[in-house]
Amino acid sequence: MTSTREAAVRLTQYAHGGGCACKIPPGELEDVLGGLTQPVTTGSDIPLLVGLATGDDAAVVTLPARDGGAPAQAVVSTADFFTPVVDDPYDWGRIAAANALSDVYAMGGRPVLAVNLLAWPRDVLPFDLAREVLRGGLDVATEAGCHMGGGHSVDDPEPKYGMAVTGLADPARLLRNDAGRPGMPLSLTKPLGLGVLNNRHKATGERFEQAVATMVALNREASAAALAAGATCATDITGFGFLGHLHKLARASEVTAVVDTAAVPYLDGAREAVRDGYVSGGTRRNLDWVAPFTDFGTTDADTRLLLADAQTSGGLLVAGEVPGAPVVGELVPRGAHSVLLR
């Protein structure tokens, strides 16, 4: 489960939190964003397909069809960055890149261009570590077939890294979080438990290879499989946890999601990490946020925490069956709660 390899510099010790657990709590974020809507008429002749309204994974606009009848294309735009989630700088770069690219895959798109976003305490941490972070990001972007076109950097007391990513998609075949309908099954393409394992790593220095392998894995194949299966509704599981992202999907789609808790997969060591207390503040805030919208039934306290666990570079949650991915629930007509645990 763990490795004896130790980084010369423990990057996680230079951050107040780790990975997507550092997100602003969803309830606070929605309060801040409330009312910040753009006028319908902006002077642009490029239609906005997906914006702020449903809290989807990325923004999408449609480019006009070219002369000669070429079909219109959708442009997918997103940005994601965070503090170190692991101590190894190369792995951190790979994880942050896979996480940023995931928002494009979660919309049914393919990433074509990324730019780096780097904040670095230049008087505290050597720049050769930053180079390793950037190398990790470059390698994952290359694996994804996505151009890397430079970026932006600032001197900052806390290290942060991520990417702004542009992708392309078929506007008629998007994956959106508001397209769920009653009767659709729910598939989850990566196991949960990344947050508690990362928190244990930050506290103890233990290295969890299964967590790193899960976080650096692209959601490219899962996205393609979802589209091939005819899916139209999906989201990725990151900092708001499985329950938070599922609540947003159910709310946007005006349905209720019923979860078979026994079918949800977890990484090896995740339950032990919860048992031993390695639960981030972000996970607890996630659970507090979803509690009013969730019927927990008889689900035990540790499972509730795992379902709210703040993931970094998690999998896709797809309304539809994805080959190789477990079905963890279904969508039903809207009831008193947006999520029911069974």
Side-chain angles (χ1 to χ4, degrees):
M1 180 183 298
T2 61
S3 168
T4 57
R5 185 180 74 174
E6 295 182 359
V9 176
R10 293 207 58 209
L11 285 174
T12 57
Q13 305 308 297
Y14 290 83
H16 73 283
C20 290
C22 285
K23 279 188 172 183
I24 293 174
E28 293 180 23
L29 184 61
E30 291 188 347
D31 289 343
V32 169
L33 295 176
L36 294 179
T37 56
Q38 202 172 31
V40 175
T41 302
T42 63
S44 174
D45 61 349
I46 299 177
L48 179 68
L49 273 185
V50 181
L52 187 61
T54 61
D56 218 322
D57 296 294
V60 183
V61 296
T62 305
L63 296 181
R66 293 174 293 177
D67 292 340
Q73 279 193 311
V75 176
V76 184
S77 181
T78 186
D80 210 310
F81 61 95
F82 47 68
T83 55
V85 69
V86 293
D87 290 326
D88 186 287
Y90 178 72
D91 283 345
W92 175 32
R94 292 197 296 157
I95 292 164
N99 183 76
L101 294 166
S102 179
D103 283 341
V104 175
Y105 294 130
M107 301 300 299
R110 61 182 181 91
V112 295
L113 175 64
V115 292
N116 291 302
L117 303 172
L118 177 71
W120 201 256
R122 49 186 295 274
D123 293 330
V124 178
L125 291 173
F127 260 121
D128 61 345
L129 294 181
R131 185 181 187 280
E132 283 299 288
V133 176
L134 294 169
R135 184 171 71 88
L138 177 62
D139 282 356
V140 166
T142 301
E143 178 188 350
C146 177
H147 294 292
M148 179 66 73
H152 183 67
S153 61
V154 296
D155 188 348
D156 191 283
E158 191 174 52
K160 303 175 184 73
Y161 175 65
M163 293 176 173
V165 186
T166 301
L168 296 175
D170 181 343
R173 300 184 68 223
L174 289 176
L175 299 174
R176 304 173 53 135
N177 72 354
D178 63 352
R181 299 294 179 264
M184 291 181 173
L186 291 168
S187 300
L188 182 63
T189 67
K190 286 185 183 181
L192 304 181
L194 292 164
V196 290
L197 291 179
N198 289 338
N199 207 37
R200 187 166 200 152
H201 170 70
K202 177 179 170 65
T204 68
E206 296 174 86
R207 181 176 167 86
F208 297 94
E209 299 292 350
Q210 73 276 29
V212 173
T214 298
M215 289 186 287
V216 301
L218 294 172
N219 282 326
R220 175 177 52 193
E221 285 74 21
S223 177
L227 289 172
T232 58
C233 178
T235 188
D236 64 348
I237 307 301
T238 55
F240 299 155
F242 173 83
L243 288 180
H245 289 284
L246 180 57
H247 162 61
K248 291 179 67 176
L249 183 152
R251 181 180 62 183
S253 297
E254 299 182 344
V255 296
T256 289
V258 180
V259 179
D260 177 2
T261 56
V264 177
Y266 300 100
L267 287 164
D268 289 344
R271 283 200 174 274
E272 290 81 358
V274 173
R275 179 200 64 199
D276 295 340
Y278 295 104
V279 179
S280 69
T283 291
R284 296 189 186 279
R285 290 190 294 271
N286 287 342
L287 190 57
D288 289 343
W289 179 59
V290 300
F293 314 109
T294 304
D295 179 348
F296 291 103
T298 60
T299 307
D300 63 85
D302 283 0
T303 299
R304 295 184 191 191
L305 286 167
L306 281 169
L307 291 172
D309 189 37
Q311 306 297 277
T312 297
S313 193
L316 298 187
L317 178 63
V318 180
E321 292 195 40
V322 178
V327 172
V328 298
E330 65 174 333
L331 300 180
V332 299
R334 180 71 181 182
H337 295 85
S338 59
V339 179
L340 303 178
L341 302 186
R342 295 292 182 261

